[in-house]
Amino acid sequence: MTSNPDMKAIAFYLPQYHPIPENDKWWGKGFTEWTNVAKAKPLFSGHYQPHLPADLGFYDLRLPEVRQAQADLARAHGISGFCYYHYWFTGKRLLERPFNEVLASGKPDFPFCLCWANETWSRRWLGEEKDILKQQSYSPTDDLAHVRALLPAFADDRYIKIKGRPLFLVYRPLDLPDPMKTVDIFKNECIKNGLPEPYLMGVDSHCPGFNFQDIGFDSTLFFQPKLGAVPDFMNDNRTIAKLARNIKLGITSSILKVYDSVESRQLMLGQLIEAAQLGFPSHPCVFVSWDNTPRRGKNAIVLVNSSPEIFEAALAEVVSSLIEKPQDERILFINAWNEWAEGNHLEPDLKYGTQYLEAVRRVLLKPSREVVKC
């Protein structure tokens, strides 16, 4: 089954599911993302934790059979490709093995692109400059080494292109000390090697609604979730009362933040629509759900009452907003394919099975004329 040719949905893909020496040192022998996922506990009555994998199990991304099964599942439900997170630290790559093997083997035969997650790694899981594990730094020399390392991926027939140019995302573009210089180095080196200049997309996760054309990029990704768009519902008695009707809150921590999924998503969608009206080149993003207690415990942010139905309505809303755009601009991102430690995954779990994927298929695999705005 193939996806609607009028719409391309790209899912963010986390390569964190295999051990590496650095994580062994920082977190303990054999650590992977599954370590946090499996030990998660519910923090209040009705809190859905842990999220445990169903169809694909606790997989190891070093296995080609796993990577093939993921691609087959994604394609069958209307996903057009994966956007692999890419970790580059001054010539050093981390968690690179799964993508390296995808590139070298030619399998799975499934479209892909890369997103440079250019954050400093810390023990806080927030990209903060505190309790640093791996520092991010920049230089023109490193930019040149970086783009040269990317050339084999950009040249691959499976690499996703916009306007014939390989799509490359940068998670925190404003962290680049001289972004226009970096853009020039990337584009010039690609041209010098006989490739089209890359189509550079800036992710606005930390700078909502920013026009990255102003710093030399081609477009902006309106990333979701934008938790900063949501007021602190824990201090809102009306919201607490509303939540209490649905779950029995047993929260004793003043740090844990619990938000209603429906209200939160509407606020974020409203912000996305406002940003899209700014008129510069942009692409939307829809998130699945959110609960990062596996990583942050009682310091987490939890969106309660998430469901496949709520996600489907949000996805349909975004898809309907793209129908009138030129065909090569009908591209959206889904966050995420497998962010299990943030409760944000299309991959099947024991509670919902394939229901989130079925929602994607209903929205994306029917003719665009049938997509009705919610």
Side-chain angles (χ1 to χ4, degrees):
M1 183 177 293
T2 57
S3 60
N4 184 340
D6 292 336
M7 205 67 60
K8 182 177 292 185
I10 303 169
F12 282 103
Y13 181 107
L14 188 71
Q16 194 93 310
Y17 301 90
H18 65 103
I20 60 173
E22 291 82 0
N23 276 337
D24 284 350
K25 177 183 176 181
W26 296 328
W27 303 104
K29 188 71 174 175
F31 176 89
T32 73
E33 195 81 348
W34 295 126
T35 306
N36 288 332
V37 171
K39 69 182 182 183
K41 305 290 184 184
L43 299 182
F44 49 86
S45 178
H47 182 201
Y48 170 40
Q49 281 293 348
H51 289 214
L52 300 177
D55 301 40
L56 300 175
F58 289 97
Y59 53 73
D60 185 327
L61 286 181
R62 295 173 295 186
L63 296 174
E65 296 89 346
V66 167
R67 302 191 298 262
Q68 185 65 55
Q70 289 175 315
D72 291 344
L73 193 62
R75 181 184 287 109
H77 291 87
I79 302 297
S80 302
F82 289 144
C83 182
Y84 293 90
Y85 280 116
H86 162 74
Y87 306 96
W88 172 276
F89 297 89
T90 319
K92 171 68 175 177
R93 290 183 61 196
L94 295 178
L95 298 167
E96 75 281 6
R97 179 171 171 176
F99 181 73
N100 279 355
E101 293 185 358
V102 167
L103 191 62
S105 69
K107 297 179 180 179
D109 184 11
F110 190 63
F112 58 76
C113 62
L114 295 171
C115 176
W116 181 19
N118 61 320
E119 292 186 311
T120 290
W121 282 15
S122 76
R123 290 194 177 277
R124 297 171 182 244
W125 297 103
L126 290 173
E128 296 178 335
E129 301 288 328
K130 299 177 181 178
D131 299 332
I132 291 173
L133 301 173
K134 191 73 174 176
Q135 181 74 50
Q136 188 66 256
S137 60
Y138 308 92
S139 72
T141 300
D142 187 56
D143 286 341
L144 185 58
H146 190 183
V147 67
R148 285 175 175 170
L150 291 167
L151 293 176
F154 289 171
D156 193 285
D157 289 340
R158 294 166 292 172
Y159 203 92
I160 295 169
K161 297 176 177 64
I162 294 181
K163 303 181 186 298
R165 298 158 55 193
L167 170 62
F168 186 69
L169 290 81
V170 179
Y171 191 70
R172 298 187 74 141
L174 296 186
D175 283 7
L176 302 174
D178 188 349
M180 286 191 169
K181 179 68 172 177
T182 298
V183 168
D184 285 343
I185 290 171
F186 270 57
K187 292 188 174 182
N188 291 337
E189 190 64 19
C190 285
I191 292 170
K192 188 185 298 183
N193 284 273
L195 294 174
E197 60 182 40
Y199 186 96
L200 298 175
M201 186 179 294
V203 180
D204 78 337
S205 179
H206 296 277
C207 43
F210 189 88
N211 180 5
F212 290 110
Q213 276 194 323
D214 290 343
I215 58 171
F217 281 64
D218 294 285
S219 69
T220 295
L221 174 66
F222 294 139
F223 192 76
Q224 296 285 348
K226 278 194 177 59
L227 298 171
V230 183
D232 189 353
F233 286 147
M234 290 301 292
N235 294 323
D236 184 336
N237 290 330
R238 291 172 302 173
T239 302
I240 292 174
K242 180 177 179 180
L243 289 174
R245 289 196 294 270
N246 298 300
I247 60 174
K248 295 180 180 178
L249 289 174
I251 301 170
T252 58
S253 170
S254 61
I255 302 172
L256 180 69
K257 295 181 179 180
V258 180
Y259 302 148
D260 178 70
S261 177
V262 177
E263 291 189 22
S264 300
R265 196 182 288 272
Q266 285 304 311
L267 287 168
M268 294 178 207
L269 278 173
Q271 189 183 66
L272 188 155
I273 292 169
E274 289 177 11
Q277 292 171 345
L278 295 173
F280 52 79
S282 63
H283 295 86
C285 178
V286 184
F287 74 100
V288 178
S289 56
W290 190 265
D291 180 351
N292 61 357
T293 52
R295 285 184 172 179
R296 300 204 25 99
K298 292 183 179 180
N299 297 306
I301 295 175
V302 181
L303 299 186
V304 295
N305 305 322
S306 295
S307 71
E309 293 77 18
I310 292 169
F311 165 70
E312 182 173 354
L315 181 62
E317 179 87 7
V318 169
V319 166
S320 69
S321 73
L322 294 174
I323 291 173
E324 301 304 321
K325 288 197 171 189
Q327 187 164 343
D328 61 359
E329 295 180 17
R330 296 175 197 164
I331 296 172
L332 65 106
F333 288 78
I334 297 177
N335 185 29
W337 177 256
N338 61 343
E339 285 272 11
W340 284 86
E342 293 178 337
N344 185 26
H345 51 89
L346 288 173
E347 287 182 336
D349 64 7
L350 292 181
K351 179 174 182 178
Y352 291 109
T354 60
Q355 289 182 46
Y356 279 99
L357 283 169
E358 294 298 331
V360 174
R361 181 158 61 181
R362 281 191 294 271
V363 174
L364 292 176
L365 291 184
K366 58 185 175 182
S368 59
R369 64 179 181 274
E370 295 181 17
V371 178
V372 178
K373 187 173 182 178
C374 298

